[in-house]
Amino acid sequence: MSGFDMSNPAFKSWAQNAARLVAVASGREPADLVIRGGRVVNVHSREVLDGWQVAVADGRFAYVGPDAGHCVGDGTQVIEAEGRYLIPGLCDAHMHIESGMLTPAEFAAAVIPHGTTSMFTDPHEIANVLGLRGVKLMHDEALMQPVNIFTQMPSCAPSAPGLETTGHEITPEDVAEAMAWPGIVGLGEMMNFPGVAAGDPKMLAEIGATQEAGKTVGGHYAAPDLGAPFHAYAAGGPADDHEGTSEADAIARVRQGMRAMLRLGSAWYDVEKQITAVTDKGLDPRNFILCTDDCHSGTLVNDGHMNRVVRHAIACGCDPLVALQMATINTATHFGLERELGSIAPGRRADVILTSDLATLPIEHVIARGQTVAEGGQIRVDCPHLDWPNDVRTTVKLGKQLAAADFEIPAPDGAKRVTAKVIGVVENQAPTEALTADLAVTAGRVEAQGAVAQIALVERHRGTGGVTNGFVSGFGYGPGMAIASTVAHDSHHMIVVGTDRAMMAAAANRLGEVGGGVTVWKDGAELALVELPIAGLMSDRPAAEVAARADAMVAAMGQCGCTLNNAYMQHSLLALVVIPALRISDLGLVDVTKFELTDLIEPNT
């Protein structure tokens, strides 16, 4: 794994470059770059080495020590750190590029100025739409970037077989094939945790193919039960988990030899409640890793990426050096890349950030593979684009023009009122609540009222014209509105939420017209549109442009009455049938606590 740079075949491995590194470190040849006058943060020893200097040759650290003067020659570039800290480039251990609404190139362009130089990405969103071909397209564009983007082969498409229908499926044969690709670092999050715990042969075959290839198996255990099912899941092979939401969750993972991944995404605030396992309980921090999981473009442009997560961990009481370990060397070690990246040490890729403060972490100068890639928050390199095929831009197939009648929910014969199951949104968390509501019946149709809105899952992969209807609460929407999105984790059909059936139809038809994205409607007019033509998930427009449209979309949700933090992320997860408690799919309403379909209307008692 550490011998070949999977992101750029022209970039020499440590072994291929050893003679030059030795010559530079000994002073026999000049370095390409020397950084002096700073304070090196050593994440191996967890200390700050004041006055230490670094020398870089062919994109790798050659010398790290008290004085690199012997490495300076006529052609050596010298950067004066002026007392600033030198920290390793930040690593995101678990993330989905598609959640940024951006292609890999534009995602890289957005996060490089924030100091992210290594990403471990799971493109299971596009896998659900386009299968292995979509994964290969993401993987290929990732390899073109000036920073390190490693791909985890998606494991679960569908994420819950029998409870949803995806555009394509991922098979154990697909996983075995992908393990031979350059840039594949492991298996993406194994979301079918009931399948693993039950010994499902397909899931165990995917894990086995990854382990046989000597690569890392990503985990996803989203149940609160830490008894026998959790232990069975751990025995199946997943090496990490990012679904913990409490201190007990984090402790349970590391006690089983897993790494606890603590996430801070656009809507997931799971660091604060788990990091106490380190700050209060004193557990070994080397088994804890920081990640983002899902960040939309607005967060990336306005708030940051892994720098935001590290700052947050520090604000939660974590020692800055420990927080930096959790975002650098811990990640590299987890993926078997400790000798390749994640630290400022000889032979490693020369990914380094200059910052004037370890707590507030301003990202002032970013170097990746020995080249300046960002300064003062501005990117200084090109991020090359793949030529995405035309058919990848036409994946939204509704099969018909939708009408208000498609969103009607019939009541049982003769019913005047019904008790309906309602998906309850929980602010800043992935899990939902399983609620009920007493709803009125008008002309044989069940009507949403008060805090309860309608939700629909519109099939969009095969043009079946299918619509599954249900109820949701927690957004706070007022009358006459609808929001539709073709980002609908994980099967990525279309989710429509609204308080007006005509507006729901208009929003759905609009996305069929533009080829995917997010649209908000109110009182007969479109308030906002984010076009995501690539697989209905991503745009290849610049991040700032997409972020501006996303911000307008969030503002439009506010105009419709929504006050939740990053409510769009909550919206996009309402079909995620592997996280409790209640979700919607193309097959019906799903009780995730039981992993079975359930009736929308409760029978009369």
Side-chain angles (χ1 to χ4, degrees):
M1 181 72 70
S2 62
F4 175 66
D5 177 14
M6 296 174 287
S7 301
N8 185 348
F11 183 66
K12 294 180 181 178
S13 70
W14 187 346
Q16 292 169 332
N17 209 31
R20 173 103 197 278
L21 297 176
V22 169
V24 169
S26 64
R28 294 193 300 272
E29 292 185 22
D32 300 328
L33 169 69
V34 166
I35 308 175
R36 63 191 185 192
R39 292 177 278 183
V40 172
V41 173
N42 191 309
V43 292
H44 292 288
S45 58
R46 201 192 302 159
E47 59 182 335
V48 177
L49 303 167
D50 198 7
W52 274 39
Q53 303 177 4
V54 302
V56 176
D58 290 342
R60 295 181 179 273
F61 295 114
Y63 172 87
V64 183
D67 185 358
H70 63 293
C71 305
V72 177
D74 290 342
T76 303
Q77 178 191 5
V78 177
I79 294 177
E80 301 291 351
E82 300 176 331
R84 288 178 290 181
Y85 297 93
L86 277 63
I87 65 173
L90 302 178
C91 307
D92 193 345
H94 175 72
M95 56 171 290
H96 308 285
I97 284 176
E98 303 99 315
S99 293
M101 303 179 179
L102 306 168
T103 59
E106 289 301 332
F107 197 103
V111 303
I112 286 171
H114 296 307
T116 301
T117 59
S118 294
M119 291 172 265
F120 295 83
T121 72
D122 177 359
H124 71 217
E125 319 303 351
I126 202 168
N128 277 270
V129 180
L130 295 169
L132 189 63
R133 178 170 176 244
V135 175
K136 186 67 162 57
L137 291 168
M138 293 290 284
H139 162 274
D140 290 353
E141 185 165 290
L143 294 187
M144 298 163 65
Q145 304 314 309
V147 291
N148 316 307
I149 305 182
F150 301 98
T151 301
Q152 295 175 281
M153 175 60 196
S155 61
C156 298
S159 58
L163 296 179
E164 62 181 353
T165 310
T166 57
H168 285 268
E169 293 189 13
I170 294 296
T171 67
E173 292 74 23
D174 291 336
V175 172
E177 176 184 335
M179 287 301 138
W181 297 351
I184 293 289
V185 76
L187 188 69
E189 55 181 305
M190 177 49 71
M191 293 177 288
N192 188 358
F193 55 90
V196 174
D200 179 85
K202 179 181 177 183
M203 298 298 99
L204 296 184
E206 291 185 2
I207 292 172
T210 307
Q211 291 174 321
E212 291 295 332
K215 299 184 179 183
T216 305
V217 178
H220 168 117
Y221 184 83
D225 185 352
L226 296 177
F230 171 69
H231 288 269
Y233 183 74
D240 57 62
D241 189 27
H242 57 274
E243 288 295 335
T245 59
S246 68
E247 180 187 271
D249 287 340
I251 291 173
R253 271 74 173 166
V254 299
R255 283 178 176 171
Q256 294 298 311
M258 303 168 77
R259 261 70 180 234
M261 290 187 175
L262 318 184
R263 64 182 172 184
L264 178 74
S266 290
W268 321 139
Y269 285 67
D270 297 322
V271 174
E272 185 174 4
K273 291 183 179 179
Q274 295 185 89
I275 205 163
T276 53
V278 173
T279 58
D280 293 348
K281 294 295 190 295
L283 270 63
D284 187 345
R286 289 300 299 272
N287 293 311
F288 293 78
I289 293 173
L290 297 175
C291 69
T292 64
D293 199 356
D294 298 291
C295 280
H296 69 64
S297 54
T299 300
L300 300 178
V301 170
N302 301 320
D303 301 327
H305 189 233
M306 283 305 298
N307 57 331
R308 171 177 174 259
V309 187
V310 173
R311 289 180 193 132
H312 177 68
I314 294 168
C316 291
C318 188
D319 181 286
L321 297 186
V322 172
L324 286 172
Q325 285 182 316
M326 292 179 180
T328 57
I329 191 62
N330 292 10
T331 303
T333 300
H334 180 60
F335 288 101
L337 292 168
E338 185 175 346
R339 300 281 290 170
E340 188 68 18
L341 51 86
S343 66
I344 301 173
R348 278 66 167 187
R349 303 180 190 195
D351 302 335
V352 60
I353 299 166
L354 275 67
T355 180
S356 54
D357 186 78
L358 290 184
T360 58
L361 206 64
I363 307 298
E364 294 157 356
H365 192 143
V366 185
I367 294 167
R369 302 176 192 164
Q371 301 294 318
T372 292
V373 291
E375 284 185 278
Q378 300 299 312
I379 193 161
R380 300 294 186 217
V381 290
D382 291 328
C383 294
H385 282 242
L386 191 71
D387 185 12
W388 291 82
N390 287 335
D391 65 296
V392 172
R393 299 174 182 269
T394 56
T395 63
V396 180
K397 303 176 178 67
L398 301 184
K400 66 179 183 181
Q401 189 80 358
L402 292 164
D406 290 303
F407 301 94
E408 293 179 354
I409 300 174
D413 289 344
K416 297 283 201 267
R417 302 192 69 83
V418 300
T419 300
K421 292 172 183 168
V422 178
I423 302 170
V425 172
V426 181
E427 187 170 24
N428 291 330
Q429 287 195 7
T432 64
E433 294 178 309
L435 307 177
T436 59
D438 180 60
L439 299 177
V441 174
T442 302
R445 300 186 301 258
V446 183
E447 300 291 348
Q449 60 192 56
V452 177
Q454 279 195 220
I455 181 172
L457 194 293
V458 179
E459 199 283 330
R460 66 105 163 171
H461 296 309
R462 295 176 175 83
T464 65
V467 179
T468 303
N469 287 296
F471 297 103
V472 65
S473 72
F475 287 112
Y477 291 131
M481 61 74 59
I483 173 173
S485 169
T486 52
V487 179
H489 303 270
D490 275 333
S491 58
H492 295 291
H493 289 289
M494 183 192 297
I495 295 175
V496 188
V497 172
T499 56
D500 182 288
R501 287 187 283 268
M503 290 299 89
M504 294 175 75
N509 290 328
R510 177 66 163 147
L511 294 188
E513 173 190 329
V514 302
V518 191
T519 182
V520 183
W521 288 64
K522 188 175 190 298
D523 298 333
E526 184 177 57
L527 300 185
L529 172 67
V530 185
E531 293 187 55
L532 303 174
I534 298 177
L537 302 173
M538 297 174 290
S539 169
D540 53 1
R541 302 297 302 163
E545 181 180 320
V546 178
R549 287 180 173 269
D551 287 346
M553 175 262 293
V554 172
M557 293 173 74
Q559 286 180 254
C560 294
C562 183
T563 60
L564 294 183
N565 175 58
N566 277 309
Y568 168 70
M569 294 299 291
Q570 307 286 9
H571 174 102
S572 70
L573 292 184
L574 291 171
L576 187 52
V577 295
V578 291
I579 297 183
L582 203 58
R583 305 280 165 168
I584 193 169
S585 86
D586 63 306
L587 301 181
L589 197 63
V590 180
D591 181 340
V592 186
T593 63
K594 298 177 180 177
F595 264 79
E596 63 184 26
L597 296 170
T598 187
D599 292 332
L600 174 63
I601 307 299
E602 293 192 349
N604 292 327
T605 56

